[in-house]
Amino acid sequence: MTKKKDKKPKSKFKKLIGKLHLWFGLLIGAIVFFISITGALYVFKDEIEGLQRKEYVQHHEPNHENKEKLPLKQLENLVQQQVQEQYPIHWVNIPIDRALSYQFYYFERNEHAWNYFDEYPVYKVAYVNPYNGKVLQVYDEKNSFFNIVKMLHWSFLLNSDWGKWVTGIPVLIFVFMLISGIILWWPKNKSARKQRFWFKWKNVKSWKRKNYDLHNIIGFYTSFFALIFSITGLFYAFFFIQAMIYVVFSGGKTQYPDFSHITTTAPASLRTDTTLDKIAQKVEELYPDAYMFALDLGHEHMDDHEHPNFEVFVRHLSYSYHKNSNLIFDENSGELLHTRNPEDKDFGEKMVNANYDIHVGSIFGWPTKIIAFIVSLLCASLPVTGFMIWYGRNKKKNNTKKVHNKTI
């Protein structure tokens, strides 16, 4: 008769990792659940809003191919007259496709407010027919479902400057938990490996065992994607993450490309009501196949923001932001001073530009969005199954103590 081999005791390192994994999980579990659910809700924002706004995304101007668009200054005045908002328009999104509406944005930020609703006194978008200046529809972005979901995810509706740390610190701990989870999951031998990679429930009736497998196996397969989504989220909370991403992917460069020295030199007297039209025309000539570009209309705003130069952001794809060009113009003369296209950027810069798209899953369109949605939901399940493991073990210990006390 052969003796059963004694179970190999856990190393002190694994015991410590296990305790930290447990207590950190109990500490931030509810926060991770909330951040994961709001992240999942936000994934298909563009697609859902596109359906809701499809009537206004195109202006439906008859025979528009043979018509001239109104000058931007005239369009701005017409929009202001119709919307009658107390704040000036901040910027306009100009699509290259002539069938699409212009989008004029009202956006003001009070950086001293403590909550989201006071921080942004106004955040609206007006869809406008650029051929006659008619406002087709105005949407209150500030109070829209998806923007509130985004800011819950970002900062729990607190001031974004410091609210991002309230979510960022738990996510930083979650990154540790993902890594520690992989360490705890790692099988000691071949027989354990079979159980760890997939569910073997043929002869298993215990819900505790099934729940344990759900936490471990789902946790393992989710962890690699979850690490990517977590780190790209931390990018917005901590500067050292931004720096780390650039340094790693640029091959060790520590200085991010800076073009702030390229500034307007022409006298202010050269600036006219048609300067922005001149800039817009140049962008359209250079990028006839792009999706859209944004122009700041040059007004003073609550946050007293000062641009080091007049930069125009050109978005090449409709579904993501990572492929973009950055142009610098003389804002008085409208002369093009600098061009930086995707092919001019090093890999570190491209990764920084792609961070948002990777985080929300839009980097390759629908396939990566589906992955982001599923992974977010699975991440939300981990605190639940983890809590149930702890609760089951704790209940068992308490029952054992009660039985022990009765026998004494």
Side-chain angles (χ1 to χ4, degrees), residues 9 21 33 165 197 321 381 387:
H21 188 85
F33 176 84
W165 298 332
F197 278 109
Y321 295 85
S381 78
F387 176 81

Side-chain angles (χ1 to χ4, degrees), residues 132-151:
N132 60 20
K134 183 183 177 184
V135 173
L136 306 172
Q137 185 63 281
V138 178
Y139 288 99
D140 182 1
E141 299 284 39
K142 171 183 168 179
N143 295 305
S144 70
F145 172 78
F146 284 108
N147 221 56
I148 289 173
V149 165
K150 175 187 170 183
M151 298 314 291

Side-chain angles (χ1 to χ4, degrees), residues 126-378:
Y127 285 78
V128 178
N129 181 333
Y131 295 93
N132 60 20
K134 183 183 177 184
V135 173
L136 306 172
Q137 185 63 281
V138 178
Y139 288 99
D140 182 1
E141 299 284 39
K142 171 183 168 179
N143 295 305
S144 70
F145 172 78
F146 284 108
N147 221 56
I148 289 173
V149 165
K150 175 187 170 183
M151 298 314 291
L152 282 166
H153 180 81
W154 171 279
S155 62
F156 292 134
L157 296 181
L158 300 170
N159 179 292
S160 54
D161 283 341
W162 51 268
K164 62 187 178 183
W165 298 332
V166 179
T167 54
I169 292 168
V171 173
L172 205 56
I173 295 170
F174 183 57
V175 168
F176 166 80
M177 291 190 67
L178 290 169
I179 297 166
S180 63
I182 294 168
I183 293 168
L184 294 170
W185 171 91
W186 205 262
K188 296 179 203 172
N189 50 51
K190 246 185 185 180
S191 59
R193 200 174 297 137
K194 289 177 185 177
Q195 183 65 37
R196 300 287 171 93
F197 278 109
W198 201 243
F199 306 102
K200 305 283 183 182
W201 287 350
K202 193 175 180 181
N203 299 314
V204 176
K205 292 180 181 178
S206 167
W207 73 267
K208 287 182 183 179
R209 179 70 214 186
K210 289 180 179 179
N211 180 69
Y212 180 83
D213 285 348
L214 280 170
H215 187 75
N216 280 273
I217 295 167
I218 288 175
F220 171 71
Y221 285 112
T222 303
S223 58
F224 299 101
F225 288 108
L227 276 170
I228 292 170
F229 294 133
S230 297
I231 291 167
T232 50
L234 290 170
F235 175 95
Y236 299 104
F238 302 108
F239 175 75
F240 78 89
I241 297 289
Q242 298 176 24
M244 181 186 75
I245 288 173
Y246 180 69
V247 170
V248 168
F249 289 101
S250 67
K253 292 180 185 176
T254 56
Q255 186 64 47
Y256 194 78
D258 179 25
F259 303 100
S260 60
H261 61 282
I262 303 172
T263 58
T264 291
T265 55
S269 57
L270 287 182
R271 187 178 175 91
T272 68
D273 285 352
T274 61
T275 301
L276 285 179
D277 296 295
K278 182 180 176 182
I279 292 170
Q281 187 180 356
K282 185 65 179 177
V283 176
E284 289 175 357
E285 283 175 13
L286 289 172
Y287 304 101
D289 299 320
Y291 173 61
M292 58 77 66
F293 59 97
L295 285 182
D296 190 309
L297 295 177
H299 300 295
E300 289 185 10
H301 296 281
M302 283 182 69
D303 58 358
D304 295 324
H305 72 297
E306 286 187 18
H307 302 296
N309 48 38
F310 192 82
E311 186 174 317
V312 177
F313 176 87
V314 181
R315 181 175 162 188
H316 292 280
L317 304 170
S318 62
Y319 60 86
S320 71
Y321 295 85
H322 72 279
K323 190 178 178 185
N324 60 69
S325 295
N326 307 93
L327 310 181
I328 297 173
F329 286 87
D330 187 304
E331 62 184 315
N332 291 331
S333 69
E335 181 190 353
L336 177 62
L337 304 176
H338 178 78
T339 305
R340 192 160 180 82
N341 293 316
E343 60 270 20
D344 303 321
K345 301 174 183 181
D346 62 42
F347 194 56
E349 202 176 343
K350 287 178 181 177
M351 285 302 294
V352 168
N353 287 340
N355 189 83
Y356 173 80
D357 297 315
I358 294 169
H359 186 64
V360 301
S362 64
I363 187 76
F364 297 122
W366 276 92
T368 44
K369 284 204 167 197
I370 291 167
I371 290 170
F373 180 73
I374 293 169
V375 169
S376 295
L377 291 180
L378 292 177

Side-chain angles (χ1 to χ4, degrees), residues 17-119:
I17 289 292
K19 282 183 180 178
L20 290 172
H21 188 85
L22 167 65
W23 291 112
F24 279 145
L26 292 172
L27 179 68
I28 66 160
I31 297 172
V32 169
F33 176 84
F34 184 82
I35 291 173
S36 300
I37 290 295
T38 50
L41 286 172
Y42 192 77
V43 167
F44 295 109
K45 175 236 181 205
D46 290 342
E47 288 74 14
I48 294 168
E49 282 191 345
L51 287 172
Q52 292 172 333
R53 302 178 182 188
K54 65 179 180 180
E55 189 181 343
Y56 309 109
V57 169
Q58 294 193 359
H59 48 69
H60 307 291
E61 176 72 17
N63 199 29
H64 65 268
E65 297 91 348
N66 302 316
K67 294 180 179 178
E68 287 292 321
K69 295 176 184 176
L70 295 178
L72 283 168
K73 195 67 184 174
Q74 188 179 345
L75 281 171
E76 181 190 350
N77 291 334
L78 287 168
V79 173
Q80 282 285 42
Q81 289 168 23
Q82 293 169 81
V83 178
Q84 295 189 342
E85 175 59 58
Q86 62 174 310
Y87 299 101
I89 300 169
H90 197 139
W91 78 87
V92 56
N93 283 354
I94 301 176
I96 300 297
D97 185 344
R98 294 172 67 89
L100 299 180
S101 304
Y102 279 22
Q103 296 169 26
F104 284 83
Y105 279 85
Y106 294 90
F107 182 86
E108 298 294 337
R109 179 173 178 252
N110 175 12
E111 58 192 21
H112 303 295
W114 70 271
N115 68 80
Y116 163 70
F117 295 103
D118 291 338
E119 184 180 359

